[in-house]
């Protein structure tokens, strides 16, 4: 049985992720070419290294210390999914809050954990006064299918910092109303 709860800054450490499997075999990705979205082969394996986990720990601690939200899913006290939202509204009339991460351990995908995390962060963002979540999302076909199933569409206003950092990500938004 899954337990879902908000994380505190003091809980976030490298040890929290010892039972978390961040692995994704990607074959096809969405690319915007001449203004049109197309699927293109771009095979690679996404598998976090130790320094990426260390950076993640720093980022999640910062999210909480600055007033953001980190929500997690546990199975038998082992972290199996998490999502984070940054606290600062941006994007003018769009009133975006940034969904900075959402990940489900490879061994637990397809069980509704991502959906539960996404719905929780949407509710938190709505209570903060945001109009939409902003997502700079991995362009893998499977990842995009998840976001579209959650009601996400291409963002009306792009966050250029995200575009510059991850030029192949799809810039999405999800209305909170």
């Amino acid at each position: 049985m899954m337990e879902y709860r908000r994380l505190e800054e003091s809980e976030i450490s490298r040890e929290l992720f010892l039972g978390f499997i961040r692995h994704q075999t990607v074959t096809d990705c969405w690319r915007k070419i001449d203004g049109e979205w197309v699927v293109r082969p771009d095979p690679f394996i996404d598998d976090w290294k130790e320094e990426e986990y260390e950076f993640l720990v720093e980022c999640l601690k910062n999210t909480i210390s600055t007033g953001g939200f980190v929500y997690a899913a546990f199975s038998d006290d082992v972290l199996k999914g998490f999502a984070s939202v940054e606290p600062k509204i941006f994007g003018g009339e769009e009133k975006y809050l940034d969904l900075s991460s959402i990940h489900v351990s490879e061994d637990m995908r397809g069980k509704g954990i991502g959906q539960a995390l996404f719905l929780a962060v949407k509710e938190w963002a709505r209570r903060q006064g945001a109009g939409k979540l902003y997502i700079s999302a991995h362009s893998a076909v499977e990842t995009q299918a998840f976001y579209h199933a959650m009601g996400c569409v291409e963002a009306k206003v792009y966050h250029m910092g995200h575009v510059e950092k991850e030029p192949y990500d799809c810039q999405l938004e999800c209305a909170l109303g």
Side-chain angles (χ1 to χ4, degrees):
M1 180 162 156
M2 296 303 299
E3 174 198 354
Y4 294 90
R5 63 181 174 80
R6 185 176 189 159
L7 291 180
E8 300 298 326
E9 185 178 355
S10 62
E11 296 178 89
I12 299 174
S13 67
R14 175 61 182 103
E15 290 73 32
L16 179 66
F17 297 91
L18 292 179
F20 188 86
I21 305 167
R22 176 59 183 122
H23 180 269
Q24 183 176 1
T25 301
V26 176
T27 54
D28 295 321
C29 293
W30 284 97
R31 297 287 184 253
K32 197 168 195 178
I33 300 173
D34 297 327
E36 297 292 323
W37 287 103
V38 295
V39 175
R40 293 283 191 242
D42 189 8
F44 66 96
I45 295 175
D46 194 358
D47 199 1
W48 289 346
K49 296 174 178 48
E50 188 60 34
E51 55 270 11
E52 291 166 304
Y53 278 105
E54 290 170 11
F55 182 69
L56 173 65
V57 166
E58 288 178 35
C59 290
L60 294 176
K61 284 184 170 191
N62 182 67
T63 296
I64 293 171
S65 71
T66 58
F69 181 64
V70 178
Y71 196 67
F74 292 87
S75 176
D76 297 322
D77 296 322
V78 177
L79 180 74
K80 291 298 177 180
F82 64 94
S84 59
V85 181
E86 301 307 314
K88 188 174 187 250
I89 292 177
F90 66 95
E93 292 178 11
E94 303 305 320
K95 294 178 68 178
Y96 291 128
L97 275 181
D98 192 3
L99 176 71
S100 48
S101 65
I102 184 167
H103 297 282
V104 175
S105 186
E106 183 179 45
D107 59 324
M108 298 297 280
R109 293 184 190 143
K111 299 180 185 300
I113 296 168
Q115 179 181 8
L117 293 169
F118 195 82
L119 293 174
V121 297
K122 276 181 68 173
E123 178 58 24
W124 183 85
R126 187 189 61 73
R127 289 194 319 265
Q128 305 312 302
K132 300 175 182 179
L133 279 179
Y134 186 92
I135 307 110
S136 181
H138 197 295
S139 60
V141 168
E142 300 82 2
T143 302
Q144 288 301 303
F146 166 77
Y147 284 116
H148 289 282
M150 295 294 100
C152 299
V153 297
E154 185 174 0
K156 289 183 182 168
V157 177
Y158 278 21
H159 183 294
M160 293 316 294
H162 284 306
V163 173
E164 290 166 8
K165 184 178 175 192
E166 295 289 346
Y168 291 115
D169 274 8
C170 297
Q171 306 304 310
L172 306 173
E173 65 180 41
C174 185
L176 302 176

